[in-house]
């Protein structure tokens, strides 16, 4: 309680008034003392002094401030995000409503359910706080400034409720403001608004399943799957792989961000031949709230057998007996026979068809009837692993006009336009390398191979060549040591060239030696197919985020997996990044554990917003030649920092961090129960004590007037009793 004076007159005027009044009282008291004695004078002096005091009250205007303490209900301050992204009409219970409209409806529901608690609602974007009723969805989002402004004007607020999509693209990290709220004892309860319209199924969407088109039975097959996970940062997700409807394994992954690209790898061993259906699903195994997202694919499991395409230009004996050898070789499996006649009535396998075969046998073909680009495509297939068998004849190799074509680069023998076909019988002789090679094929000791070969019928005619390429091995030679059968590696593929075209004669040898003709062709075809090595692996490029900020560096990983599921040793990985405005960046990826990694730094000013494509090319060096193992590509988006609507998906990680740092709860607009529960508990708790000052004006109180009149009347009566005026 405090007494305050607020005089209406200046101090000097008030003093003059009181002095004049006091002088009059003193004169009257002196006269009364003469007439009525000292006692009467004192009575008059007391009465008129009190009257003087009461008369001065209206001039002094005294005010008494009283402190009043009352119990008040808890107060809650609701902060509603009114930035541009809150204008999105995302799918929901009422698709026509925007996020801001749904937030207003939730605030009204909170106000009705908080009981004794008081709820005040304010809106924010990137400027000062404003009333919720006047808010319009526009501008950026400054969560940190909004929280600090709310804390400054919170008054006796016991809690804050933040309704936002969490996409703070302005200001500082809001976590610091949340920690300040915790220090003040004010929890911030966060409600996330919005869903990812591009990712139905609980925030999970399957992007692609990557698996080799064909694998070998009993080989470990790596299966890669990529999913897009939105709003599930840190959530435990379970990936399950099924083969032909039967469970084949599962693993657990956790998204690293709110809009993450998850790359899941699982291995499976296929024990049965044939085509198999693969299904890889990803979902929230604990609650079932997310997913599952499902990806499907097919893979062919083949035995260690090869498919052979024989491309021949004439129905000659060499072709007929080679075809019979292929038919009688169980390890060569499914076969296709192509006969390319000189009139062009039967076309050679198309460029796409070449990929179906593990070995291509090329006989006598008129060069002028081969489609343009076909030999180049064949060379590319061989570099990737297809085997190639070149048969001699008057219309093949050098005599066929192939010395200046891509076929010359493929051949282990040096071809020349001057090469020709020579007639006459001659006996083939195995070289030391040939003795070792055919020893296993014939099931004979190495020292017996040459003698066995001499018992075979002689051959008639052969094609001359201009030499043997470095690195090639001659397996059979002619009378003067000239090459008859030579082999080498080209990229990942293997090539055999045979200059003779009458090996069918060996089939007419005595029974035991006649079988060597089949074994001879089987050995060459098995070596060309090289089935173990040709079991394909896979190449997968990945980035962690489907959308990224232009100021952030790009981290890219590439998994280059070999046939056995292990990382390719010695693989070279090159990345090409293409973006808006002709942006192109090339870089090499370095080994990093089981993958290769590269970081691309943004240019000055950051990566421009828009769509980007990241391409990966993986190659290995074999036999001195770089061979492309595989390629892959992946798209992602760089956001415009000034355009909130470019990426309206909610940032659950930001809102979770605010709630965790301040001691509040976090939930989503579709499940607001935790916030209702927190406010209900707050309303049930004892309220606070509010202190207020209640002023009481004394100068205009009726009692003052009554007292003044009573005292003045008593003084007048005393004066009259003594005959004084």
């Amino acid at each position: 309680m405090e007494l305050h004076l607020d005089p209406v007159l200046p101090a000097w005027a008030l003093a003059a008034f009181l002095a004049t009044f006091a002088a009059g009282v003193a004169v009257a008291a002196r006269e009364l003392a003469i007439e009525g004695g000292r006692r009467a004078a004192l009575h008059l002096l007391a009465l008129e002094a009190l009257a003087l005091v009461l008369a001065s009250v209206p001039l002094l205007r005294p005010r008494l401030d009283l402190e009043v303490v009352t119990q008040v209900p808890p107060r809650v301050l609701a902060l509603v995000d009114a930035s541009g992204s809150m204008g999105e009409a995302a799918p929901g219970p009422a698709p026509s409503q925007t996020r801001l409209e749904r937030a207003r409806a939730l605030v009204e529901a909170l106000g009705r359910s908080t009981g004794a608690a008081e709820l005040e609602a304010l809106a924010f974007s990137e400027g000062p706080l404003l009333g919720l009723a006047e808010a319009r969805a526009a501008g950026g989002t400054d969560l940190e400034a909004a929280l600090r402004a709310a804390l400054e004007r919170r008054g006796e607020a016991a809690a804050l409720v933040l309704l936002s999509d969490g996409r703070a693209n302005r200001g500082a990290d809001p976590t610091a403001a949340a920690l300040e709220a915790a220090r003040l004892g004010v929890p911030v309860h966060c409600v996330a608004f919005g869903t990812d319209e591009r990712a139905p199924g609980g925030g999970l969407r399957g992007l692609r399943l990557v698996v080799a088109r064909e694998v070998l039975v009993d080989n470990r097959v790596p299966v890669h799957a990529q999913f897009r996970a939105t709003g599930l940062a840190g959530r435990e997700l379970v990936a399950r792989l099924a083969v032909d409807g039967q469970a084949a394994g599962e693993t657990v992954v956790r998204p690293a961000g709110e809009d993450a690209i998850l790359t899941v790898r699982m291995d499976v061993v296929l024990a049965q031949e044939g085509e198999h259906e693969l299904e890889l699903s990803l979902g929230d195994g604990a609650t079932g709230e997310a997913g599952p997202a499902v990806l499907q694919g097919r893979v062919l499991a083949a035995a260690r057998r090869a498919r052979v395409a024989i491309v021949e230009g004439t129905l000659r004996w060499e072709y007929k007996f080679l075809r019979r050898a292929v038919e009688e070789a169980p390890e060569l499996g499914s076969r296709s026979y192509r006969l390319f006649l000189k009139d062009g009535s039967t076309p050679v396998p198309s460029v796409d068809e070449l990929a179906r075969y593990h070995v291509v046998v090329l006989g006598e073909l008129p060069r002028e009837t081969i489609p343009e680009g076909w030999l180049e495509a064949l060379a590319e297939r061989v570099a990737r692993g297809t085997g190639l068998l070149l048969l001699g004849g008057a219309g093949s190799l050098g005599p066929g006009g192939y010395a200046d074509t891509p076929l010359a680069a493929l051949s282990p023998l040096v071809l020349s336009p001057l090469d020709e076909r020579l007639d006459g019988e001659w006996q083939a002789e195995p070289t030391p390398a040939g003795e070792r090679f055919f020893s296993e094929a014939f099931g004979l000791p190495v020292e017996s191979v040459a003698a066995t070969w001499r018992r075979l019928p002689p051959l008639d005619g052969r094609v001359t060549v201009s030499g043997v390429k470095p690195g090639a091995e001659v397996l059979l030679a002619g009378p003067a040591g000239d090459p008859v059968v030579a082999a080498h590696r080209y990229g990942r593929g293997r090539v055999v060239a045979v200059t003779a075209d009458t090996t069918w004669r060996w089939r007419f040898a005595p029974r035991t030696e006649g079988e060597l003709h089949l074994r001879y062709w089987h050995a060459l075809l098995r070596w060309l197919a090289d089935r173990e090595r040709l079991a394909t692996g896979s190449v997968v490029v990945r980035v962690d985020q489907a959308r990224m900020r232009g100021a952030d560096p790009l981290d890219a990983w590439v998994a280059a997996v070999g046939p056995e599921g292990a990382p390719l040793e010695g693989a070279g990985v090159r990345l090409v990044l293409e973006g808006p405005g002709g942006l192109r960046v090339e870089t090499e990826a370095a080994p990093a554990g089981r993958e290769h990694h590269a970081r691309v730094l943004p240019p000055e000013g950051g990566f421009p917003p828009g769509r980007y494509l990241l391409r990966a090319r993986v190659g290995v060096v074999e036999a001195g030649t770089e061979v492309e193992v595989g390629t892959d590509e992946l798209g992602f988006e760089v956001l415009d920092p000034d355009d909130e609507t470019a990426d309206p998906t909610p940032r659950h990680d930001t809102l979770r961090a605010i709630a965790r740092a301040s001691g509040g709860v976090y939930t989503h607009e579709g499940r607001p129960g935790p916030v209702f529960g927190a406010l209900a508990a707050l309303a049930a708790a004892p309220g606070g004590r509010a202190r207020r000052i209640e002023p009481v004006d004394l100068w205009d109180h009726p009692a003052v007037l009554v007292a003044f009149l009573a005292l003045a009347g008593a003084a007048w009566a005393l004066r009259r009793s003594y005959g004084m005026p």
Side-chain angles (χ1 to χ4, degrees), residues 541-544 554-558 575 589 596-600 614:
V541 61
R542 68 178 177 90
V543 297
D544 281 344
L554 172 67
D555 285 300
W557 288 265
V558 179
L575 292 170
H596 285 68
H597 171 259
R599 168 167 284 194
V600 182
L614 181 65

